[in-house]
Amino acid sequence: MASLSPPSPVLCHAGTPPRGRSNELSRNSRIASPNSKQNGGALGNVIEVVKKDVKFMGDGLSKGLEVVHKDVKVLGDGLSKGLEWANKAFRIPEVSKTVEDFVWLRNVEDPLAAALRFPSWPQPCYTELTGADLFMADIMALEVYCWYMYSLSKMWTKPLPETYDAEAVTEYFTLRPHVVILRLLEVLLAFISATIKSRISSISCDAEEDARKSVSDYNFGIILKDTILNLGPTFIKVGQSLSTRPDIIGDEVSKALSELHDQIPPFSRAEAIKIIEDELGFPVDTHFSYVSEDPVAAASFGQVYKAKTHDGFDVAVKVQRPNLHHIVVRDIYILRRGLGLLQKIAKRKNDLCLYADELGKGLIGELDYNLEAANALEFMEAHSRFTFICLPKVFKHLTRKRVLTMEWMAGDSPTELLSVSSEESNLKLLDLVSKGVEASLIQLLETGLMHADPHPGNLRCTSSGKLGFLDFGLLCRMEKKHQYAMLGAVVHIVNGDWASLVYDLTEMDVIRPGTNIRRFTMDLEDAMGELEFTNGIPDVKFSRVLGKIWSVALKYHCRMPPYYVLVLRSLASLEGLAVAADPTFKTFEAAYPYVFQKLLVDNSAATRRILYSVVFNRRREFQWQKLAVFLRVGATRKGLKSLVKQNTHTSLEQSATGITPEVNLTNLALKILPSKNGLVLRRLLMTADGASLIRALVSKEAISFRQELCQVVADILYKWISGAMEKGLNIPKGSSPFTDASSTNDEYKSVFTDRRLRVIFSKCYNSARKDPLLVLRFCYASLSMLFMASAMACRRVLAALIRAYLSRASYNWKQISIAN
C-alpha cells in the first residue's frame, strides 16, 4: 500500500495569495453555499455551527439541572427522614424540654418550699476575745455563713406562686436574672428589627404623599402586629387593647392590629387534648361525644374548641396554652421594674408599680379558669334582670384551672359585621354599639360590676338581637361612692361645672389630700375651655376629655386607683368599637340620657346632691336654663317612656310632628311630677327658694311652659264643659257630639289635684309674697293663662256642636275646614 506524502507548504506573500488556489476556493465556496451573500460566506457557516453548539450545550445544561433538582429533592427527602429519625433516636424534643426546665430551674422547685423567706445576712460581732475564743468564734461564723448559703440555696427550690404576689415574684426572679436579661434582649431586638423594617418600608414606598402616609401607617401596623405575635401572650393582650382605639393610634394601624383577634397561631390539638384529660382526670370521650379537629378561635391565653356533650348540649371548651404562667409573670415583673425605674427618673410621688401589680393580678386571674367561671356566674346574677344582655351558661363539672366549658353562643362578632359591607350588617353593628353603651352604663352606674375587656372578640350579636358577652377573666368591681362620683363627673362635664368635677375626682381617689384645689380647678377650667358644646353636649370623644383631665392631674401628681385603670380600659375599648361603627359617635351624647333617668329614679342622697348642683346655684335659686338643657338632652332616651303614661296626644316623640322640644319637655315634666318616679323632682322643688321658682315661671324663658300649661288647663275645662252639657241635655254616650273628650289628658288632672304639689305651690307662693311686684306679675300671668285656656275650651265646644249639627243636616262636614 503506497504511502501518501504530506502536502508541501506553499509559501506566498501575506498580502497576495496564489491566484489558482484562490479561484478554486472561491468557486468551491460558491458551489457549497448558494446563499453565501446572505450568510457571509464561510463566516456564516461558522456562526451556524456555533449556534447549534450553543443550543446543544443549553439543552444539555437544562437536562443536567433537572437531574440535579431531582437529586436535591431526593436528598431533601432523605434529610427530612433523617431529622425525623434523629428526633426519635436522640429524643430531641425531650432534650429541649429538659434544657428549658434547666434554664428556668424548674427541676429544683419544691412546692413545700413556698413558705421560705430570704435569710438575713449575718451581722458580725466584735468583742474582746482570747485566741481560743477568737478561733471558736471564727468557726461559729463559718457555720453561720454556711447556714446562710444553705438557706439561700434552698430558695432556688421555691416555685413561682400561683397567685400574683409582687414580693414573691421579685424573690423568684432575683434568683433567675438570666431569664430576665434574655427576655429583655429578645424584646429589645424585636423592636429594633421592627423599627428597621418600618424605615425600609417607608423609604421604598413610591406612592403619592397622602397615599404614601396611609400605606406607611398600615405597613407599620403589620410590622408591629408581627412583632407582637412573636413576643407572646402578654404583648398580644396589649396589642388587642390598642386595636380598639383608632382615635389614638390611627385607623390604618388599628386595622392592622385588629387581626390580632383572629390571627393568633394555635397550638397543636394533641397538646390541647392532653391538657383537657389531665385537668378533668378522664379521657375526652368520657365527657364529650364530639370535639372539633381545629380550634374555632385562638386567643392570647388559650384557644376554643366547639364540642358536644353526651347530653346533646353544644359547648365551647376553652383550653389554656401550655407553660403560660411563667411567661406572663416574667413580663409583668419586667414591666414592674421598668415602671419603678421610670418613677425614680421622673421623680414621681405616686407608686407607678401599683399599675403593674394591678395588671398582674388581672392577668394571673385570667389564667385560673375556676375564677373565670365564678366571675361569669357573678356577672350573670348581677345582670339577669336586663333582658337585652345574653350570657352563656357555665358547666361547672367540666371546668378546671386550665379548662373552661361554657354554653356555645352563636352570633356575629363586631369584626364580622364590619367586614360585611351591607345595610343589614351596618344596622346590626349600630344596634350592638347602642346596646353595648347601655350595658356599660348599667355596669358602671347600676351594678358596679364591669366587664373589663369588651374588645370585639368578646362581644356577640345574637340572632334574637341580644348583646352577648364572652370571656369573664377580668372584671372590675366598683364601690358605691366611686359609682356616684362617675355619675356626677358626666353631669358636671356636660354642665361645665369644673369645681364640682374636681370634687368628683377627689371622691374617685384621684386627687391626693393636700392638693391645692383652687389652683387645680383653675388649670382644669383652662384646659376644658377649649371644648366645643353642641346642644349642651361636649362635641368631643370621651378619650379626649379624659386626656385633658389627666394632663392636669399629672401636673399635680395625682394618682390613678387600680379600679380606675380597668374602667378606662373598658370604656376606651367600647368607644373605639363605637367609633369604628359610626365615626360621628359621641360618648357623652349616648351616656347622658341614661344619667338623666338614673338621677330621676334613684332617690339617694348622692343623686339628689348631683341633681341640685344642676338646677340650683349656691344661693339655692332655681336655674331654668340649666334645667332646660338637662331635660332636653335627657329626654332623647327611649327608656323615659316607661316613666310616664303615654297617650295619643302627647309623647316624647312629638318633636317630629312640629312641636318644639321645649313644649315636649314641659309635657314630660308635668307627667313625671305627680307620678311615683317624680319623688326626686318634688323634693328638689320643695327645697328650692320659692321666689326663684315663681320668678322662673313668669320669665321669658318659660313662655313655652306657660303655653303648654295653658293647653293642659284648656283640655281639663273642655272635658268639664262637655260632661256638664251631656248631663244637662241627657245625651246618650254613643251619640255625644264631644267624641274627643274621652281622649283628653286625664292624667293632667293630678297636677292640680295632687296634695303634694299643692303644698309645694303654697310654699312657693308664701315665699314670693315678700315681693309684691313678683306676686302681681304671677297673678297677671295666671289670669292670662286662665283666660286663654277658657277661650280655647269654648272654641273646641263650639266646634264640636257645629260639627254635630252639620252632620244631622246631611252635609259632609269633613269638607268644611274648621281650625281646631
Side-chain angles (χ1 to χ4, degrees):
M1 190 172 180
S3 61
L4 296 176
S5 61
S8 59
V10 179
L11 299 178
C12 62
H13 194 271
T16 57
R19 181 177 303 173
R21 185 64 176 173
S22 174
N23 294 336
E24 185 179 356
L25 287 173
S26 177
R27 185 171 56 253
N28 292 337
S29 64
R30 286 195 299 267
I31 295 171
S33 180
N35 299 324
S36 60
K37 292 182 180 181
Q38 289 83 1
N39 298 333
L43 182 60
N45 290 335
V46 173
I47 292 173
E48 289 293 329
V49 171
V50 170
K51 286 182 178 180
K52 293 179 179 180
D53 293 341
V54 169
K55 182 178 180 182
F56 176 78
M57 292 176 64
D59 295 339
L61 182 61
S62 63
K63 293 180 180 179
L65 289 175
E66 290 179 0
V67 173
V68 171
H69 178 70
K70 292 180 179 178
D71 294 339
V72 169
K73 183 177 180 181
V74 172
L75 182 61
D77 294 339
L79 184 60
S80 62
K81 293 180 179 178
L83 289 175
E84 292 179 359
W85 175 84
N87 283 335
K88 294 180 180 179
F90 299 102
R91 298 184 178 180
I92 292 178
E94 289 80 0
V95 172
S96 176
K97 180 66 169 55
T98 303
V99 171
E100 182 182 357
D101 291 341
F102 175 78
V103 171
W104 282 89
L105 303 178
R106 294 195 186 101
N107 296 323
V108 299
E109 292 180 1
D110 183 8
L112 299 178
L116 294 178
R117 297 188 178 277
F118 265 98
S120 60
W121 182 263
Q123 300 296 323
C125 181
Y126 300 98
T127 59
E128 295 180 0
L129 299 173
T130 63
D133 293 337
L134 185 61
F135 178 74
M136 294 302 299
D138 289 339
I139 293 178
M140 293 175 62
L142 181 62
E143 180 183 1
V144 170
Y145 282 108
C146 290
W147 177 255
Y148 168 77
M149 297 305 297
Y150 172 76
S151 301
L152 187 62
S153 65
K154 292 293 291 183
M155 293 298 299
W156 295 76
T157 65
K158 190 175 180 179
L160 188 66
E162 293 296 328
T163 58
Y164 184 81
D165 182 357
E167 184 179 353
V169 169
T170 302
E171 291 178 356
Y172 183 84
F173 284 102
T174 299
L175 297 172
R176 295 162 175 81
H178 56 288
V179 174
V180 178
I181 293 173
L182 290 175
R183 179 59 172 174
L184 284 174
L185 290 176
E186 181 184 4
V187 173
L188 183 63
L189 291 176
F191 279 105
I192 290 176
S193 175
T195 304
I196 295 173
K197 291 179 181 178
S198 177
R199 295 296 300 170
I200 294 174
S201 173
S202 61
I203 293 173
S204 61
C205 183
D206 296 332
E208 297 181 359
E209 185 173 355
D210 294 339
R212 181 178 182 178
K213 184 178 184 306
S214 177
V215 173
S216 177
D217 290 344
Y218 182 74
N219 290 338
F220 171 75
I222 292 295
I223 294 171
L224 182 62
K225 180 205 71 174
D226 294 337
T227 304
I228 288 174
L229 283 174
N230 293 331
L231 289 176
T234 312
F235 284 86
I236 291 174
K237 276 283 184 184
V238 176
Q240 288 176 342
S241 299
L242 286 176
S243 68
T244 62
R245 297 313 311 266
D247 53 323
I248 296 178
I249 61 177
D251 293 332
E252 298 299 330
V253 179
S254 175
K255 181 180 177 182
L257 290 183
S258 63
E259 298 177 3
L260 289 173
H261 299 290
D262 304 319
Q263 294 189 1
I264 300 176
F267 57 94
S268 67
R269 187 177 188 272
E271 288 183 285
I273 296 298
K274 186 176 184 303
I275 292 174
I276 294 174
E277 293 179 344
D278 290 344
E279 291 293 318
L280 298 181
F282 296 97
V284 173
D285 298 340
T286 305
H287 303 284
F288 305 103
S289 60
Y290 163 77
V291 178
S292 60
E293 289 294 327
D294 298 320
V296 294
S300 53
F301 284 1
Q303 59 192 33
V304 180
Y305 291 86
K306 185 175 182 180
K308 179 174 287 189
T309 64
H310 290 295
D311 299 334
F313 291 102
D314 289 331
V315 295
V317 182
K318 186 176 179 181
V319 187
Q320 190 177 117
R321 292 179 179 272
N323 301 325
L324 193 60
H325 182 70
H326 287 70
I327 296 173
V328 173
V329 176
R330 176 194 60 188
D331 291 341
I332 296 299
Y333 172 75
I334 293 173
L335 175 63
R336 192 177 191 276
R337 294 298 298 268
L339 289 177
L341 181 62
L342 179 63
Q343 179 182 346
K344 292 181 180 179
I345 295 174
K347 298 180 180 179
R348 304 292 302 177
K349 294 181 180 179
N350 52 327
D351 189 3
L352 299 180
C353 295
L354 292 177
Y355 305 143
D357 293 341
E358 189 64 24
L359 181 62
K361 291 177 183 177
L363 294 182
I364 298 305
E366 289 189 60
L367 299 181
D368 188 353
Y369 288 166
N370 288 316
L371 178 60
E372 182 174 347
N375 288 342
L377 293 173
E378 182 182 2
F379 194 84
M380 182 183 300
E381 183 179 356
H383 300 89
S384 58
R385 65 182 185 272
F386 303 102
T387 56
F388 71 95
I389 297 178
C390 180
L391 303 172
K393 175 186 174 183
V394 178
F395 291 80
K396 290 185 178 180
H397 66 288
L398 298 178
T399 297
R400 298 293 186 273
K401 184 175 182 179
R402 294 191 295 165
V403 176
L404 174 64
T405 305
M406 302 183 75
E407 179 185 3
W408 179 262
M409 179 180 288
D412 299 322
S413 69
T415 306
E416 294 171 348
L417 294 176
L418 281 171
S419 62
V420 179
S421 57
S422 65
E423 184 177 356
E424 182 181 358
S425 63
N426 291 338
L427 290 176
K428 282 186 178 181
L429 183 60
L430 292 176
D431 181 63
L432 184 144
V433 168
S434 175
K435 290 176 179 176
V437 170
E438 183 169 2
S440 293
L441 291 170
I442 288 172
Q443 297 168 35
L444 179 64
L445 305 176
E446 187 75 22
T447 63
L449 188 64
M450 289 199 69
H451 190 292
D453 194 18
H455 64 74
N458 291 337
L459 299 176
R460 290 291 184 273
C461 179
T462 65
S463 57
S464 58
K466 295 183 179 181
L467 173 66
F469 283 94
L470 302 173
D471 194 353
F472 302 93
L474 194 58
L475 295 183
C476 174
R477 295 167 177 84
M478 297 181 62
E479 298 179 13
K480 274 294 181 184
K481 74 168 189 174
H482 295 152
Q483 289 181 255
Y484 287 127
M486 288 279 185
L487 181 68
V490 175
V491 174
H492 297 140
I493 288 173
V494 172
N495 285 277
D497 189 353
W498 311 125
S500 298
L501 178 61
V502 172
Y503 175 81
D504 296 329
L505 293 175
T506 305
E507 288 293 300
M508 294 179 197
D509 298 330
V510 173
I511 298 179
R512 290 177 174 275
T515 304
N516 191 327
I517 299 298
R518 184 177 179 183
R519 292 184 59 187
F520 189 97
T521 305
M522 294 174 61
D523 289 344
L524 184 62
E525 186 174 356
D526 291 339
M528 292 296 189
E530 303 175 2
L531 298 181
E532 297 180 0
F533 287 78
T534 303
N535 296 325
I537 294 293
D539 193 17
V540 292
K541 294 182 176 63
F542 178 75
S543 56
R544 185 182 174 191
V545 175
L546 284 181
K548 289 184 175 295
I549 295 174
W550 197 243
S551 64
V552 180
L554 288 176
K555 179 180 177 181
Y556 289 89
H557 302 282
C558 293
R559 57 193 172 192
M560 184 180 288
Y563 83 91
Y564 198 69
V565 178
L566 297 179
V567 169
L568 295 187
R569 176 185 177 184
S570 176
L571 295 179
S573 298
L574 188 64
E575 187 182 45
L577 176 60
V579 170
D582 181 11
T584 63
F585 178 83
K586 301 294 186 300
T587 305
F588 286 102
E589 186 175 354
Y592 202 70
Y594 184 87
V595 172
F596 173 80
Q597 183 177 355
K598 177 72 173 176
L599 292 177
L600 287 183
V601 175
D602 189 356
N603 183 27
S604 63
T607 55
R608 287 199 300 270
R609 179 185 60 80
I610 296 171
L611 191 57
Y612 291 170
S613 68
V614 173
V615 297
F616 294 137
N617 58 18
R618 293 183 178 178
R619 293 178 296 179
R620 309 300 296 173
E621 293 179 343
F622 189 79
Q623 301 178 98
W624 183 267
Q625 292 291 346
K626 284 194 173 183
L627 181 61
V629 171
F630 181 75
L631 291 174
R632 181 174 64 250
V633 177
T636 59
R637 180 175 170 81
K638 296 179 180 179
L640 289 178
K641 296 179 182 180
S642 62
L643 296 181
V644 295
K645 184 179 179 181
Q646 303 297 324
N647 55 50
T648 57
H649 282 286
T650 55
S651 70
L652 295 175
E653 299 173 349
Q654 284 180 331
S655 58
T657 63
I659 300 177
T660 59
E662 289 80 4
V663 174
N664 192 22
L665 295 174
T666 305
N667 182 16
L668 172 65
L670 289 175
K671 290 184 177 182
I672 292 179
L673 270 175
S675 67
K676 64 178 182 179
N677 292 313
L679 176 61
V680 177
L681 282 180
R682 291 195 297 271
R683 283 192 175 185
L684 183 146
L685 295 176
M686 194 65 187
T687 56
D689 179 63
S692 67
L693 288 175
I694 299 295
R695 195 174 294 111
L697 181 63
V698 299
S699 65
K700 291 182 179 180
E701 291 82 5
I703 291 176
S704 60
F705 177 82
R706 293 197 297 271
Q707 290 175 349
E708 176 67 14
L709 189 59
C710 184
Q711 179 66 47
V712 171
V713 175
D715 289 343
I716 295 175
L717 289 175
Y718 171 69
K719 186 172 184 181
W720 177 74
I721 294 173
S722 61
M725 292 184 68
E726 287 176 354
K727 289 181 180 180
L729 300 175
N730 294 324
I731 301 175
K733 292 184 178 181
S735 59
S736 174
F738 310 106
T739 54
D740 58 342
S742 60
S743 61
T744 309
N745 298 313
D746 294 336
E747 63 270 16
Y748 286 142
K749 283 185 178 181
S750 58
V751 176
F752 301 96
T753 60
D754 192 284
R755 180 176 174 274
R756 299 165 298 182
L757 297 183
R758 286 205 302 266
V759 171
I760 294 173
F761 174 76
S762 176
K763 174 183 176 296
C764 294
Y765 181 76
N766 291 332
S767 177
R769 289 175 62 183
K770 299 176 183 179
D771 187 352
L773 183 60
L774 179 60
V775 173
L776 182 61
R777 290 177 60 192
F778 174 73
C779 292
Y780 174 75
S782 300
L783 290 174
S784 299
M785 287 190 295
L786 183 60
F787 176 77
M788 291 182 63
S790 301
M792 293 170 63
C794 293
R795 180 171 173 270
R796 290 178 63 183
V797 170
L798 183 60
L801 291 173
I802 292 174
R803 185 167 60 245
Y805 174 76
L806 292 177
S807 63
R808 291 180 181 180
S810 300
Y811 287 99
N812 188 4
W813 59 270
K814 293 183 179 180
Q815 296 179 357
I816 302 175
S817 177
I818 299 177
N820 188 6

